[in-house]
Each structure stands twice: as structure tokens, then as C-alpha cells.
Amino acid sequence: MMKMKVEGASCRVTFRKHLGGSVLKGTVFNHWEGVSTFLKVESDEPEERLAHLIRNAKAGCFAEGLVTQQVPLHSHVEVNGEPFHIEGVTEKQG
């Protein structure tokens, strides 16, 4: 889209989270401590064009959007092919 020559690119993402509580007591929880991305780009393009490219890529990244924006979660569960409502987990079917 930006008509730039990039020889190669890779991205690694690390998630730091804590999982705790008790399965038997029903107190399981998770707590996010952070997410880090590590981007490597191979290109002879000018720095300002590369910065523009990387800003665009990060702004359009679905994964980054999920961890930087509050996203509504709608849970639907089926058991044996039938809708299965769990209070506090799934939405009631109208």
C-alpha cells in the first residue's frame, strides 16, 4: 500500500500474565501484567518512511487493538447442540 521495499520483517509477542485461584473452589482468575512486541525490519528505505510504515502497521494491528482497547466480549455456549446459559458468563437468549 505504501510502495516501499522491505527485504524482511518478523514480529515476536510476549504475554506476561498471572493465573491463580482454585479450580475446585471456583475462584480461578487471571491478571495481565503486560504485553511486549519485538519488531525486526530489513529495509534500505529512509528512517522517516520506515517510521511512518511502522506507525501505520501498529495502528492497524488487530492484536495490539485487543490489548489496548476495551473490547466487548459476547460469550455463547452450546452443550449437546443446544444453547447453554450460565449466569454471569453468557448472554440470555431472547
Side-chain angles (χ1 to χ4, degrees):
M1 289 162 62
M2 292 182 62
K3 297 190 175 27
M4 293 176 63
K5 187 168 184 175
V6 175
E7 300 298 328
S10 66
C11 183
R12 180 172 55 92
V13 179
T14 59
F15 299 91
R16 293 179 312 286
K17 64 177 184 65
H18 176 75
L19 179 63
S22 167
V23 172
L24 296 178
K25 293 179 183 176
T27 59
V28 173
F29 69 91
N30 72 75
H31 169 76
W32 285 95
E33 297 170 3
V35 179
S36 298
T37 61
F38 303 88
L39 177 63
K40 292 183 180 182
V41 177
E42 297 291 329
S43 177
D44 292 329
E45 294 285 344
E47 284 185 19
E48 53 200 43
R49 286 192 36 92
L50 287 168
H52 186 79
L53 172 70
I54 292 166
R55 280 189 197 98
N56 279 337
K58 291 178 75 61
C61 179
F62 298 110
E64 286 198 16
L66 281 171
V67 297
T68 60
Q69 302 171 32
Q70 185 174 347
V71 178
L73 175 63
H74 305 280
S75 295
H76 304 275
V77 177
E78 285 187 11
V79 174
N80 298 324
E82 298 294 324
F84 190 78
H85 177 68
I86 305 167
E87 190 65 40
V89 174
T90 60
E91 298 178 359
K92 277 222 171 181
Q93 301 296 314

